[in-house]
Amino acid sequence: MVKITGYKINDVRFPTSLTGDECDYSSAYVTLLTDSDLVGYGMTFTIGRGNDIVCIAIKEVANRLVGKDTEELFSNMGKTWDFMMADPQLRWIGPEKGVIHIASGAVNNALWDMYARSRKKPLWKLVVDFTPEEIVQSAAFRYISDAITKEEALAMLKEKEAGKKEREAKVRELGYPAYVTSAGWLGYTDEKVAHLTKEAVAQGFNHFKMKVGADQANDLRRAKIIRSIIDDPQYLPAGIAPRDPKSEALRGKNAGPTGSVLMIDANQVWDVKQAIDYVIGLKEIKPWFIEEPTAPDDILGHAAIRKGLQPHGIGVATGEHAHNRMVFKQLFQAEAIDVAQIDSCRLAGVSEVLSVLLMAAKFGVLVCPHAGGVGLCEYVIHLSLIDYIAVSGTMERNVLEFVDHLHEHFVTPCSINAQGRYNVPTNPDEGYRHVF
């Protein structure tokens, strides 16, 4: 019998603002300890001073697991998640949102990491090897049964069960599709944008995202620089032919002549009408979607923006700051988004992520997780693999965000192959892939 005996919390920060990025990427990092050699590593992501507050909250959440038997916790991770979230005094300053929720995510991520390490499997492999019943049992279902029932989820998973081995073999061979954000930060010069875009094309990427919202004319100029490179066959890697913009994988994505796709991200800067008018003013650059056009909790606002942009062939994406499964539930029910961007640290760990993956599959919404920062790329490849192999059964139109920095600080960093795809984590000892 292995019991959780305590935890360690580390406040880890990187001065990324000094190199032109928008903030200082930071990690509130927790290590769950046991009375054996078994440990679990987890984190949540912040952009600086908020780390102080999150580390204090992690202590309060982690205390709830001290003294618990690990195998009892692992036997029903959905029930364990409910237990973690059930402290009435901590719920009072949530419930299930804000600092307490992302702190809970760090602890739940650490527990799932411990579970995967105990079974000598990467996290994604642990979950895809579950039976459909075990996956349903592991998810957080409270408050979402009006959108999806456990019975519906079970039926969906059983339907996908037959093809799991083939999908796993396929993604191991090809990798998981990725897109790059690093070229399009607002603080970069035109020369740096052009250089980084050419570099990304040469690395095999065909989906690119840029930041917008400060100045429309400036956004158009920067976007045209990116488009001039990604739409020009001369910049494609040797031996790589342009993709068919009319293919099923690129349906509705406003792909250019080489099959490359451009997305734009506003980071919540606009009111609803402002968002519609501003993005229509950018339609000549043919974006696939606008990410976070308005306040992340404004479900009806996102629905209105989506309705206003649909005639122009531009979609809506959000989820980076959607703080729980109930926000995603309403986004799906209101038909407010085309793309769900789950965040591995904003949601309260793997158990809540599973519930959002199941809802997205039922509603037919693409899941393209938010990454970047520090540690998020290492996390989300596991989640996308779970979605593809066990839940949605598709990766043809999905893309997973990738930002090329800070990976060197991890023992088992994520990596990208020559086709601009994430390599599948294979180390049996890496768990959820988080060791600084």
Side-chain angles (χ1 to χ4, degrees), residues 203-224:
Q203 291 169 343
F205 290 101
N206 48 47
H207 284 64
F208 308 83
K209 191 171 77 180
M210 62 173 286
K211 301 289 184 179
V212 299
D215 178 85
Q216 194 179 67
N218 182 53
D219 293 339
L220 280 171
R221 190 192 74 257
R222 292 166 50 247
K224 288 177 180 178

Side-chain angles (χ1 to χ4, degrees), residues 5 7 9 27 73-74 98 109 165 172 181 196 210 214 231 253 265 296 340 360 362 375 386 391 400 428:
T5 57
Y7 48 84
I9 300 168
S27 169
L73 295 172
F74 300 157
N109 287 337
K165 288 184 179 179
R172 282 181 181 272
T181 302
L196 291 174
M210 62 173 286
D231 290 346
K253 290 187 175 183
D265 180 3
K362 178 185 173 181
I386 292 167
V391 183
L400 173 54

Side-chain angles (χ1 to χ4, degrees), residues 8-16 24-31 42-52 54-55 58 373-375 406 409-410 434-436:
K8 292 191 298 185
I9 300 168
N10 295 97
D11 182 337
V12 185
R13 309 189 195 191
F14 300 89
T16 44
D24 290 328
Y25 294 136
S26 306
S27 169
Y29 197 84
V30 59
T31 305
M43 63 155 278
T44 194
F45 170 69
T46 80
I47 59 170
R49 293 189 305 277
N51 238 30
D52 299 275
V54 177
C55 286
I58 287 174
V374 55
L406 303 178
H409 298 285
F410 295 92
H434 263 287
V435 187
F436 273 119

Side-chain angles (χ1 to χ4, degrees), residues 9-10 124 160 189 246 302 344 433:
I9 300 168
N10 295 97
W124 71 266
K160 295 293 188 292
T189 64
K246 297 181 180 179
H302 278 87
S344 57
R433 210 166 189 170

